[in-house]
Amino acid sequence: MNSFMSNIHAGWRPKRLVIAVAAAGVLSACSLAPVQPMEPLAVPAAWKHAAPAPAPGWASASQARAWDAGQWWRLFGDPVLDALAARVELSNQDLKLAAANVAQAQALLREQQAQRWPQVGAQLVQQRSGGDDRAATGSASLSLGASWAPDLWGRIRDAVSAQSASVQASEADLAGARLSAQASLAAAYLALRETDAEIALMDEIITGYQRAATITQNRYDVGVAPRTDTFQAQATLRGAQATRVALQRSRAAYEHTIALLVGEAPATFSLPAAPWAGVAPQVPAEVPSLLLLRRPDVAGAERAVSAANARIGVARSAYFPDFSLSASLGAGAGHLADLVSAPSLLWSLGLALAQTVFDGGARDARVDQALAARDAAVARYRQAGLAAMKEVEDQLSALATLAEQAGHARASADAAERIEQQMLNRYQAGLSAYTEVVTAQAGALSARRGLLQLQLQRQQAAVALIQALGGGWQAPWLETPAPGVAPPR
């Protein structure tokens, strides 16, 4: 209920008003938000699929500094990727949107904080009036007014606390958007480089198939090979050429994705082919208890819990009366020039106290709503923490299995290449049919491409693990707690 200004009683003394103001200032330190901490989320002591702990100095000093600074992509040692990541920070439109949301939340916080201060206003009025049968007359008035609503029950304080937590949550959202854009860039860039490696492989394969097609044509020309051998050789060659065209299409799609992430039109963006180092860097999988502070989405969810908790205090403050103080000073005269020498000033001091007597249970409903909103925020925070731990375990497991799988695939590719060469030699010696050569060629090509794709999967799993771990980010508003200690409410 809005409170109205009331003039103070004739017997009210300024000394009593000062006492009332002081008492209001003391009471404004109150808060009706719950003070009990949130029950901590249970986290394991170690990761289930973590690799054996690396020796001290898991990375070079420069890599360690890059990780601590959130520049995790430097672990891949690719200067082109480093330059593209810098462009994401400057030009990605999703990041600009998240940054604007942070600025908006900060402005709302300043608006909430401004409610703690008195409101002062001034009004200057000049009027002229007259008619056909009377002379024109004028009047002027100047008045100053001030009002202040002390935060007796902590409503403003809790609203400021809620908005402060919302600002921090929006900052976490910005960090999460930045990490997501960087991870998407790294994944697309690595896929593009792997595609470059596959295209180079297909060029090598096509050269070999052209040589094989020439051999079969020569054997057919001298009458020692059937016509079907030349058809099979040409079909194999054409199939390889079609595969290369498809790889070019995939490369173009990756290039367009990178252009979007760095904020550039695909038509004006291009990346020349370059060698690919298909090696996955070692990622520091920190203890699970630190994950709650290093994942932007989890930290943002925790801040949402804090904001929801403070809004409970805002809702509860409606049970108590509103209290406001006001003062005004004014003067009137016939003209603006006479205001300074006005014979008397009018002043008033007042206070107002307003209390809702009956609202049909609306305040109870708002408190229940705030309590339910906090429970929902707690559930989202816990779910975010559990999902984060699952993602880390998924990628740790993937890296472990992919490393073993890549070892087997490398041995298989080496064997398939030897078989292909032996079958071609046997065919040239007239000891086998060309169908055996075709089968060996298909097996060797599949094995070599499979090895490249496994190497890419390892790199992308490393990127996904980095993203799951937060990319070296840490909530700036929290100090690292001991394992098992809940974050502040």
Side-chain angles (χ1 to χ4, degrees), residues 193-371:
R193 289 302 180 219
E194 187 274 340
T195 304
D196 283 342
E198 284 202 58
I199 290 174
L201 171 64
M202 291 309 303
D203 289 340
E204 178 186 341
I205 293 296
I206 288 171
T207 300
Y209 287 179
Q210 288 173 336
R211 186 167 54 250
T214 301
I215 292 173
T216 56
Q217 183 64 44
N218 292 337
R219 288 175 59 81
Y220 170 73
D221 291 341
V222 297
V224 296
R227 184 66 171 170
T228 54
D229 287 1
T230 61
F231 292 154
Q232 287 180 324
Q234 288 296 325
T236 303
L237 174 61
R238 294 298 185 185
Q241 290 170 335
T243 299
R244 190 188 187 284
V245 173
L247 288 172
Q248 287 283 10
R249 184 181 71 247
S250 298
R251 189 190 193 280
Y254 292 132
E255 195 174 67
H256 299 164
T257 299
I258 295 171
L260 177 64
L261 290 167
V262 299
E264 187 172 338
T268 60
F269 179 84
S270 63
L271 281 176
W276 173 55
V279 179
Q282 191 172 17
V283 180
E286 297 170 322
V287 294
S289 59
L290 294 179
L291 183 66
L292 304 183
L293 303 182
R294 295 202 176 267
R295 277 276 297 239
D297 56 339
V298 178
E302 185 276 325
R303 289 289 82 197
V305 173
S306 181
N309 191 78
R311 292 189 185 104
I312 296 174
V314 176
R316 286 176 174 173
S317 67
Y319 287 119
F320 299 92
D322 292 332
F323 178 76
S324 64
L325 301 172
S326 62
S328 65
L329 179 66
H335 300 281
L336 288 176
D338 298 332
L339 285 176
V340 177
S341 60
S344 63
L345 296 177
L346 299 177
W347 62 271
S348 68
L349 296 175
L351 63 83
L353 189 67
Q355 172 65 52
T356 300
V357 178
F358 177 76
D359 63 0
R363 286 172 295 181
D364 293 340
R366 285 192 288 270
V367 171
D368 290 342
Q369 181 182 3
L371 290 169

Side-chain angles (χ1 to χ4, degrees), residues 87-101:
R87 294 182 62 183
V88 167
E89 183 71 23
L90 294 175
S91 305
N92 185 271
Q93 298 305 308
D94 289 335
L95 293 190
K96 292 182 181 295
L97 172 61
N101 290 336

Side-chain angles (χ1 to χ4, degrees), residues 5-29:
M5 181 186 299
S6 63
N7 289 331
I8 104 175
H9 190 270
W12 185 270
R13 296 179 180 177
K15 182 178 179 181
R16 296 179 182 176
L17 185 60
V18 171
I19 295 174
V21 172
V26 173
L27 287 174
S28 65

